[in-house]
Amino acid sequence: MLSRLFPDRFVPVLLATIGLASLLPVRGGAVPVAEGVSTAAIVLLFFLNGVRLPRDEVLHGIRNWKLQGGNLAFCFTLMPLLGLAAQAATAPLLPATLALGFLFLGVLPSTVQSATAASSMAGGNVAASVVAAALLNLVGVIASPLLFAALAGSAGEIHGAAALRIALILLLPFLAGQVAQRWLRPWVLAHRGAATFMDRTSIAIAVYVAFSAAVVGGIWRLLDGRELGIAFAAVAAMLALSFTGAWLLGSLLRLRRPDRVTLLFAGAQKSIAVGAPLAATLFPPATAGMVLVPILVYHMAQLILSAWIAPWLNRPETV
């Protein structure tokens, strides 16, 4: 039953991280130390992403321009507009920083491992899924903060210090990983379990530090049951529209069924692996915790939804 409810083991890890931050948030003199550990974990995460993402396969896979173009357009055009609409709809009902989180959710790139795994279970084009996820994340390192700044107005203005942090903490380690890929990628691929553990530990640390600051800032005093219900309903609406829209776009582009499945999961899923570090880079800690609420809920829900619908899509009678 637990495996059906939580098909990805990272879901309970995220829930436990939020619970721990709510009960034992980082306070006082421990805050600078925790932020330093979080920054180091983020640097390691993006370095490993740079090592792991297959540059040669991405360049080769770009030749499938219809699929990859559809993925890029959906992820960085339609989804940001959906996030902007969700922000506008919830702004009168929720705290401003929480509503801003829906736009932040919309501009993020896709997941890598879970989108590929879901595509495989659904009978999709697995090789194209790897390429799509890699390409979206390569583009997203630069495009996501720029899109957020362009659409959020003054609330998303990226100052020089924030731009420098993005370059030093996210982009530079990623590029260093790409350079080191020739030597380190075989080791990383041979030790997938250790690399995945480091990935998820880095994400959990970033979420814990950001959410701790939000708890200390009074997030549970600022949000009542009604507002949490609105936030969950908005995430559910975005989830339904994103998965439906990605599937319909595949039909509109007349993609082969395996490529259509790839577009569904690569286009509709959103990455907490990019979201948590980027929020920690763009926002003060207390603000970052509130902004992360939509992507945290969306990420956990998309894993459960994908695990439910992927086997159904793999049935021969499914249209």
Side-chain angles (χ1 to χ4, degrees):
M1 180 179 292
L2 286 176
S3 65
R4 289 176 179 271
L5 183 60
F6 300 126
D8 190 298
R9 293 180 182 179
F10 194 46
V11 174
V13 171
L14 284 175
L15 290 172
T17 301
I18 294 170
L20 181 63
S22 299
L23 296 173
L24 297 171
V26 179
R27 298 178 183 273
V31 171
V33 177
E35 290 178 352
V37 172
S38 177
T39 299
I42 290 168
V43 169
L44 175 61
L45 173 67
F46 274 78
F47 177 76
L48 287 174
N49 282 341
V51 171
R52 190 164 38 219
L53 291 181
R55 185 171 61 252
D56 293 339
E57 291 181 27
V58 170
L59 295 176
H60 178 75
I62 290 174
R63 295 175 186 174
N64 190 347
W65 62 269
K66 187 182 289 189
L67 171 60
Q68 305 305 345
N71 267 319
L72 287 167
F74 190 83
C75 188
F76 295 119
T77 302
L78 297 178
M79 284 298 292
L81 292 177
L82 180 59
L84 188 64
Q87 180 199 6
T90 57
L93 306 171
L94 298 175
T97 49
L98 178 53
L100 189 65
F102 289 100
L103 173 58
F104 183 72
L105 161 62
V107 303
L108 293 175
S110 176
T111 58
V112 177
Q113 293 171 325
S114 62
T116 303
S119 181
S120 177
M121 285 192 296
N125 186 336
V126 177
S129 295
V130 173
V131 171
L135 181 60
L136 290 172
N137 277 265
L138 283 169
V139 174
V141 172
I142 297 175
S144 292
L146 293 179
L147 275 171
F148 182 76
L151 295 175
S154 59
E157 186 176 353
I158 298 178
H159 300 284
L164 183 61
R165 279 177 57 82
I166 291 171
L168 292 178
I169 298 175
L170 306 185
L171 186 57
L172 188 61
F174 184 86
L175 294 176
Q178 288 279 288
V179 172
Q181 188 176 93
R182 176 181 176 184
W183 301 280
L184 296 182
R185 190 164 187 262
W187 184 91
V188 170
L189 294 180
H191 298 82
R192 292 178 185 272
T196 299
F197 176 79
M198 288 188 285
D199 275 357
R200 296 187 168 188
T201 300
S202 299
I203 297 166
I205 291 171
V207 170
Y208 174 71
V209 173
F211 210 79
S212 287
V215 169
V216 173
I219 185 173
W220 296 126
R221 294 193 304 272
L222 296 172
L223 297 178
D224 56 27
R226 181 188 68 87
E227 290 171 328
L228 286 173
I230 292 170
F232 275 74
V235 168
M238 283 191 70
L239 197 69
L241 290 172
S242 63
F243 273 74
T244 302
W247 186 249
L248 292 177
L249 178 60
S251 177
L252 183 65
L253 294 174
R254 299 184 182 277
L255 296 177
R256 297 182 305 112
R257 182 178 178 82
D259 288 349
R260 192 177 176 188
V261 169
T262 293
L263 175 58
L264 170 67
F265 293 110
Q269 290 198 3
K270 290 293 182 178
S271 175
I272 189 68
V274 175
L278 185 58
T281 305
L282 287 177
F283 306 105
T287 303
M290 187 75 85
V291 169
L292 278 175
V293 169
I295 178 58
L296 284 169
V297 177
Y298 188 98
H299 184 87
M300 291 185 283
Q302 76 186 3
L303 295 179
I304 296 171
L305 178 62
S306 297
W308 287 344
I309 67 174
W312 178 78
L313 287 171
N314 203 17
R315 295 186 303 178
E317 66 271 19
T318 304
V319 179

